[in-house]
Amino acid sequence: MFKKILIFNRGEIAVRIAKTVNELGITSAVLFSDADRSALHTRYADESYSIGGYYPAESYLDVDKVISTAKKIKADAIHPGYGFLSENAAFIKAVEESGIAFIGPSSKTVETMGKKTDARRLMHAKGVPIVPGTIDPVTSIEDASKLVQEIGFPVLIKASAGGGGKGMKKVTRMEDFADAFESAKREALKAFKDDSVFIEKLIDDPRHIEVQVLADKHGNYLHLFERECSMQRRHQKVVEEAPSSFLDESTRKKITNYALLAAKACGYYNAGTVEFLVDNEKNIYFLEMNTRLQVEHPVTELITGTDLVREQIFIAMDRKLALTQDDIKLKGHAVECRIYAEDPDNNFLPTTGKVMLHRLPSGPGLRVDRGIDFGSEVGIYYDPLLTKITTWGIDRISAIERMSIALSNYLIAGLYTNISFLKWIINNDKFRKGDYNINFIDKEFLSLPPGEWKKQGTEEDELFATAFAALHRNKKRTETSVLPKACSENNKWGGNND
Amino acid sequence: MINDYRIELNSKEKEAKILSQNKIEIDGVSYTCELIQNNNAHYSLRLNNKVYEVIKVEENKNKIVILLNGFYFFCNVETVLEKKASQIVKLSEKAKHRSEVHSPMPGMVLKIKKKPGDEVNHGESVLILEAMKMENDIKSPFSGFIKDILVSEGNPVEKGAILFRLE
């Protein structure tokens, strides 16, 4: 049994991991940057240690600092969370060599699956279908131009080392190809220190469906069904659900089998996610494997009654999986909404501020994973994900109704968030029918006239907003003016409240 | 009337008259009202028999952002007199501001594709701004000519800074 686990992350995921670590009676330790001195994760962990710096490169991306701290505090294991160094093979190799257990797959697996072109080659060889396109990375514009003429437009240019939409460009015609190719290479170089890219045929209106897998170090593999993650803006997910209402039983069987095949092909152990595109004819294409815990893992936990972090820790302790495939039963439906500090009217770019008030929704079938609290500074240094709300219902529509109410009950002041935008999605007819793909937000939201989506509140909502705006302004004016107050508000409380 | 307000609510026009301490008239209908402030940001608002929780998200003079029932409302609250005054100011400023393109976020100017005097079409990319490791095309809001570019490649810009002007 591990005695102490160092959680090398921040925000909601560090808090979430600390909770399971604490439940298992293991000491949880976290690191914090200068920008995170009073961040929530430092309060939930048993121990917290400064690593200094404001920018990620000086803190949460510093391999030497984390390993030396882990040794110093005598941590048995490191949990990387998601993002930062979680899928960095060199980091994982350094952890392996330090004698500290890594809660995740081997560096070798991560290296193979991290190079998108290597992963595509491997999947292709093992019979997992891949998106048509290049197998080998391309670097010269001449080679690339020749290739796209063979594949045919539209195409996607992607970073070989990529993920998260960085270094990814969609091109519909030859005239734009050279510019996009160079831009993708620049982004890739900056984000991943590797400017090699590859080219895929663009699948029309696909769904993004991924399968959660678990594997131990003894060759046991199982899947925990799929997650529907097609609701994306800027190539990043905002609403996820499980199961996918698009899959029938036979497609579900196929996609989960492919996921297990993929996991076995790369000698995977620990928790991982195999991402696929599924087209309108329910053809399945391997996209990539995420060799870590996913942001959206709560939907899987809610429909299967599992704790993936607990399984991750046990696997890292070399235990055999206690669960078998037959133990994993799909029950009900779960939906997750990601609350971001971002402005839907400004291309979903981050907003900043200090949280002046924060009240979370609560109630049956509702889970909240949060990384912020009253007083938190939401700055420019890190990802603007604030909180994840996940609702469970006996069927899809119950989970959705719960989500709509939960979003209404989420109160936050001091910065602007995407809550209204999430409500717009949750209440959208097409979403409610399950009729959406990865182009939904581009087609249904970005095409609206400016401000149109903000008119979604009911007349009653508008009435109360109007009344509040007038009463608030009036109060301010009477407070600062020399006019006698018609009736002092303090009188209600006995008049000596001030 | 001194307690007669005009409210722009997510670009809809509303009228509110405060009749007394606990009476308000909105778009011609009157309600009994009670506004209770629980702390700097959290309020309970009762209209007749219904109570809403209202969050004051941000406030700047006449402008206030509120969150209510999961919806953000961007309100501009003015008395009838203020409204008349601001309309006059707006008209004179309109022409001036229309042609400025501001930075939507803090970032770094990666590449400038146009130079002063160049003709640009509506939606055409003028420069690339890098933020959060992503490249963002800054496009021309209408067709015209580049009057001047106020930023240079490789330099950081603040949110709201003027990037370029059109004519």
Side-chain angles (χ1 to χ4, degrees):
Chain A
M1 190 79 170
F2 296 144
K3 288 200 177 65
K4 188 187 285 186
I5 293 176
L6 177 63
I7 301 158
F8 185 38
N9 214 295
R10 63 177 306 282
E12 65 85 18
I13 196 63
V15 173
R16 185 262 170 271
I17 295 164
K19 287 188 175 172
T20 293
V21 172
N22 294 347
E23 273 171 34
L24 293 172
I26 302 170
T27 302
S28 55
V30 294
L31 302 178
F32 60 94
S33 69
D34 288 342
D36 270 345
R37 296 203 76 83
S38 70
L40 197 64
H41 72 284
T42 64
R43 301 183 219 162
Y44 273 97
D46 296 314
E47 300 173 5
S48 61
Y49 300 89
S50 165
I51 36 164
Y54 280 85
Y55 289 95
E58 310 163 329
S59 52
Y60 302 107
L61 290 175
D62 192 323
V63 176
D64 296 336
K65 265 190 206 166
V66 60
I67 291 176
S68 66
T69 312
K71 279 184 180 160
K72 198 174 73 196
I73 67 170
K74 297 193 166 60
D76 311 284
I78 293 177
H79 195 306
Y82 56 68
F84 295 124
L85 291 172
S86 60
E87 292 181 282
N88 182 309
F91 165 67
I92 299 167
K93 193 147 199 286
V95 176
E96 287 166 352
E97 283 166 0
S98 73
I100 298 166
F102 182 74
I103 303 178
S106 71
S107 57
K108 202 167 154 273
T109 298
V110 173
E111 191 173 3
T112 307
M113 298 315 268
K115 290 216 180 86
K116 304 304 168 199
T117 37
D118 287 2
R120 277 166 64 79
R121 192 180 301 114
L122 179 64
M123 291 305 122
H124 189 61
K126 298 284 178 175
V128 180
I130 60 171
V131 180
T134 59
I135 299 271
D136 294 312
V138 274
T139 43
S140 85
I141 179 73
E142 291 78 22
D143 291 349
S145 305
K146 226 178 281 164
L147 280 163
V148 289
Q149 268 157 352
E150 282 166 31
I151 302 168
F153 286 99
V155 295
L156 274 180
I157 308 169
K158 292 182 171 180
S160 297
K166 291 178 184 114
M168 181 147 111
K169 300 282 159 189
K170 175 181 161 180
V171 192
T172 51
R173 39 183 216 155
M174 200 64 209
E175 294 93 295
D176 303 331
F177 183 74
D179 268 1
F181 185 75
E182 294 305 330
S183 174
K185 279 176 61 173
R186 278 198 305 269
E187 273 191 21
L189 185 66
K190 251 174 228 156
F192 314 110
K193 293 185 180 140
D194 175 357
D195 75 346
S196 67
V197 295
F198 66 101
I199 298 162
E200 276 180 2
K201 174 107 185 127
L202 186 81
I203 308 282
D204 277 334
D205 290 339
R207 282 159 183 83
H208 175 124
I209 298 175
E210 58 186 34
V211 177
Q212 177 71 52
V213 295
L214 275 178
D216 61 22
K217 294 177 185 172
H218 308 277
N220 300 303
Y221 292 83
L222 52 87
H223 73 81
L224 292 96
F225 299 104
E226 80 280 3
R227 291 185 287 261
E228 167 67 70
C229 304
S230 302
M231 197 58 82
Q232 304 184 1
R233 46 103 195 84
R234 292 175 72 95
H235 304 300
Q236 288 164 346
K237 303 158 190 168
V238 271
V239 176
E240 301 97 341
E241 53 180 318
S244 166
S245 54
F246 183 65
L247 296 190
D248 50 49
E249 267 319 304
S250 84
T251 318
R252 178 165 293 124
K253 202 160 259 169
K254 243 197 252 172
I255 201 168
T256 50
N257 275 334
Y258 284 143
L260 291 173
L261 207 55
K264 285 172 190 167
C266 62
Y268 203 86
Y269 53 74
N270 215 285
T273 294
V274 189
E275 297 188 335
F276 297 94
L277 291 180
V278 182
D279 71 13
N280 277 319
E281 282 74 49
K282 296 196 165 70
N283 292 311
I284 300 166
Y285 306 96
F286 170 84
L287 195 58
E288 61 178 39
M289 181 161 191
N290 290 141
T291 53
R292 51 163 167 89
L293 190 65
Q294 297 272 96
V295 179
E296 59 274 22
H297 75 276
V299 291
T300 298
E301 293 185 330
L302 291 191
I303 59 157
T304 57
T306 50
D307 177 342
L308 290 171
V309 175
R310 182 189 161 98
E311 299 302 326
Q312 285 193 293
I313 294 169
F314 287 157
I315 292 165
M317 290 193 295
D318 300 334
R319 288 201 193 170
K320 279 187 180 163
L321 284 171
L323 297 161
T324 65
Q325 192 65 64
D326 287 340
D327 295 329
I328 311 292
K329 296 268 189 289
L330 194 161
K331 192 178 179 207
H333 198 96
V335 180
E336 175 184 276
C337 281
R338 302 188 189 186
I339 314 264
Y340 278 104
E342 67 179 22
D343 184 355
D345 287 317
N346 187 14
N347 208 12
F348 302 101
L349 289 171
T351 59
T352 56
K354 182 174 182 170
V355 180
M356 302 308 289
L357 178 131
H358 194 222
R359 198 199 65 196
L360 297 166
S362 59
L366 176 57
R367 163 175 172 174
V368 177
D369 292 78
R370 64 167 173 151
I372 53 152
D373 193 17
F374 184 77
S376 294
E377 292 273 2
V378 178
I380 54 163
Y381 301 107
Y382 310 112
D383 187 87
L385 177 62
L386 305 174
T387 305
K388 302 180 308 203
I389 300 180
T390 315
T391 54
W392 181 89
I394 194 68
D395 51 29
R396 186 169 182 266
I397 200 67
S398 324
I400 289 174
E401 290 295 352
R402 267 186 180 155
M403 181 57 80
S404 182
I405 293 170
L407 289 170
S408 290
N409 292 343
Y410 191 111
L411 306 183
I412 180 166
L415 76 167
Y416 181 52
T417 75
N418 67 341
I419 292 174
S420 296
F421 171 66
L422 293 167
K423 280 218 51 147
W424 179 86
I425 293 173
I426 291 296
N427 293 329
N428 181 283
D429 284 342
K430 283 193 176 164
F431 172 76
R432 290 203 164 212
K433 285 185 198 136
D435 175 18
Y436 66 101
N437 57 57
I438 63 167
N439 297 316
F440 177 86
I441 289 171
D442 283 359
K443 281 194 183 146
E444 303 289 326
F445 181 77
L446 296 179
S447 64
L448 290 172
E452 184 64 30
W453 70 279
K454 283 191 190 148
K455 294 176 184 159
Q456 55 173 329
T458 63
E459 279 184 25
E460 190 178 89
D461 296 336
E462 289 178 1
L463 174 69
F464 274 80
T466 308
F468 178 82
L471 288 166
H472 179 267
R473 180 77 209 285
N474 195 56
K475 192 159 170 266
K476 283 254 142 145
R477 282 181 66 229
T478 50
E479 274 168 4
T480 52
S481 80
V482 291
L483 295 170
K485 290 174 190 173
C487 167
S488 167
E489 183 141 333
N490 290 331
N491 285 349
K492 278 197 294 269
W493 310 104
N496 55 0
N497 218 46
D498 209 354
Chain B
M1 260 297 287
I2 199 148
N3 291 335
D4 198 349
Y5 294 93
R6 293 290 176 275
I7 295 134
E8 223 178 275
L9 192 78
N10 291 358
S11 23
K12 280 192 191 172
E13 294 281 335
K14 301 275 179 188
E15 293 181 17
K17 251 182 227 165
I18 302 197
L19 304 173
S20 71
Q21 182 68 21
N22 57 3
K23 273 264 183 271
I24 188 169
E25 187 185 297
I26 294 163
D27 291 339
V29 184
S30 87
Y31 304 85
T32 58
C33 66
E34 186 178 10
L35 180 65
I36 297 172
Q37 181 168 7
N38 301 310
N39 63 31
N40 280 337
H42 187 266
Y43 296 78
S44 306
L45 173 61
R46 172 185 288 276
L47 290 183
N48 294 344
N49 297 314
K50 176 124 190 162
V51 177
Y52 262 60
E53 283 182 294
V54 185
I55 297 302
K56 184 168 78 184
V57 179
E58 283 165 5
E59 183 183 11
N60 186 7
K61 288 179 200 150
N62 298 344
K63 291 194 167 59
I64 180 167
V65 182
I66 61 183
L67 173 61
L68 164 164
N69 199 23
F71 299 116
Y72 284 98
F73 288 97
F74 292 77
C75 318
N76 188 25
V77 197
E78 291 171 312
T79 63
V80 174
L81 268 179
E82 287 168 338
K83 174 121 189 149
K84 277 184 188 146
S86 67
Q87 269 168 346
I88 295 165
V89 176
K90 240 186 225 166
L91 279 174
S92 68
E93 280 191 351
K94 209 172 182 182
K96 201 164 72 191
H97 275 292
R98 214 168 82 88
S99 58
E100 291 174 352
V101 175
H102 299 259
S103 175
M105 66 208 142
M108 212 262 293
V109 180
L110 200 70
K111 196 171 181 184
I112 297 175
K113 299 177 174 174
K114 300 280 172 191
K115 56 183 190 307
D118 282 359
E119 189 174 358
V120 284
N121 291 319
H122 168 81
E124 194 179 344
S125 171
V126 176
L127 54 86
I128 302 174
L129 194 65
E130 188 191 71
M132 311 290 290
K133 289 189 184 152
M134 306 271 270
E135 293 187 5
N136 301 278
D137 266 322
I138 305 295
K139 293 170 182 163
S140 175
F142 57 87
S143 300
F145 292 89
I146 303 276
K147 192 174 166 198
D148 49 5
I149 295 173
L150 290 92
V151 293
S152 53
E153 282 183 12
N155 286 319
V157 288
E158 295 296 321
K159 182 182 172 174
I162 303 171
L163 297 172
F164 55 90
R165 283 196 282 239
L166 295 158
E167 59 186 2

